[in-house]
Amino acid sequence: KDDDIEEGDLPEHKRPAAPVDFSKLDPGKPESILKLTKKGKTLMMFVTVSGSPTEKETEEITSLWQGSLFNANYDVQRFIVGSDRAIFMLRDGSYAWEIKDFLVSQDRCADVTLEGQVYPGRGGGGKEKNQTKPGKGKKKGGDAKPRASKEGNRAGKTREDL
C-alpha cells in the first residue's frame, strides 16, 4: 500500500533511520552522540522567559529570538504555551545544541529544556541553580516546600565522569 510513496515523502516515524557514523563520535562529548542521532528528526525545546512577563511580552521576546535564529539560517518554529514559556520546534534536531547555546546567552532567557535536561539561562538570576548534593541549601526552620521537578535535572557547569 506504500509502494507509490517516495521515501522522502513518508512521515518521519516511517522513514528509515539515517546510519550513524561512529568514527565521527567524540567519546568525551556526549552531546556529539545526541547530535548525530537527532539529525533529520523533529525536536522540541522549551524556553522560559525571565522577569514574570505577560503573554504578549513573551511573544515579542521570543519573536526576536526566532528572527535572529532565522537570520542565522536555522529553521525554527515557535509556539507560546504560557505567560512565560514557549516551545521552539526544529525540523533538524542536530542543530538543537547550537540553538540552545544562543538562547541561554540571551538576557531574558531564564532556562532552556532540551531532551529532559534544563540549562540555566543568563536571565535566570542565579536563584535556580543546580543543587546536586543533598544537604546543601536547606532552609533553617519552617516547612520545606517541595521543589519543582524540573529543578532537580539542571545541567551543571562542571562535567562529572561516570
Side-chain angles (χ1 to χ4, degrees):
K1 62 185 178 185
D2 290 340
D3 294 352
D4 57 343
I5 300 175
E6 292 182 28
E7 190 174 304
D9 293 336
L10 285 172
E12 186 176 314
H13 67 281
K14 289 189 176 183
R15 285 184 225 150
V20 177
D21 184 7
F22 289 102
S23 65
K24 294 181 180 177
L25 290 180
D26 181 4
K29 295 183 181 176
E31 285 182 3
S32 67
I33 298 169
L34 287 170
K35 284 182 185 180
L36 286 176
T37 58
K38 298 298 178 187
K39 185 163 183 65
K41 297 190 187 299
T42 301
L43 188 135
M44 290 186 268
M45 64 175 67
F46 285 91
V47 181
T48 306
V49 179
S50 65
S52 303
T54 64
E55 197 163 327
K56 185 176 182 194
E57 288 174 322
T58 299
E59 172 84 27
E60 291 170 0
I61 292 166
T62 57
S63 175
L64 288 172
W65 295 344
Q66 182 185 22
S68 297
L69 291 166
F70 178 80
N71 289 337
N73 293 324
Y74 290 109
D75 180 23
V76 178
Q77 291 183 332
R78 173 181 49 93
F79 304 97
I80 305 298
V81 293
S83 64
D84 66 343
R85 282 184 71 86
I87 294 176
F88 279 64
M89 187 176 82
L90 321 166
R91 294 273 179 226
D92 187 351
S94 64
Y95 297 117
W97 286 265
E98 296 168 27
I99 292 171
K100 180 265 307 175
D101 291 339
F102 165 77
L103 290 171
V104 297
S105 70
Q106 301 303 304
D107 289 334
R108 291 293 306 269
C109 178
D111 61 50
V112 175
T113 305
L114 174 62
E115 290 293 301
Q117 197 58 264
V118 180
Y119 300 90
R122 182 188 271 183
K127 62 181 175 165
E128 299 177 14
K129 288 194 175 175
N130 186 14
Q131 295 181 355
T132 55
K133 299 197 177 193
K136 292 212 171 193
K138 290 200 175 200
K139 294 180 181 179
K140 294 181 181 176
D143 293 334
K145 293 183 182 177
R147 291 179 24 201
S149 62
K150 72 176 186 176
E151 288 184 29
N153 63 356
R154 293 203 179 273
K157 292 186 189 233
T158 59
R159 191 181 94 210
E160 292 181 13
D161 293 325
L162 298 176

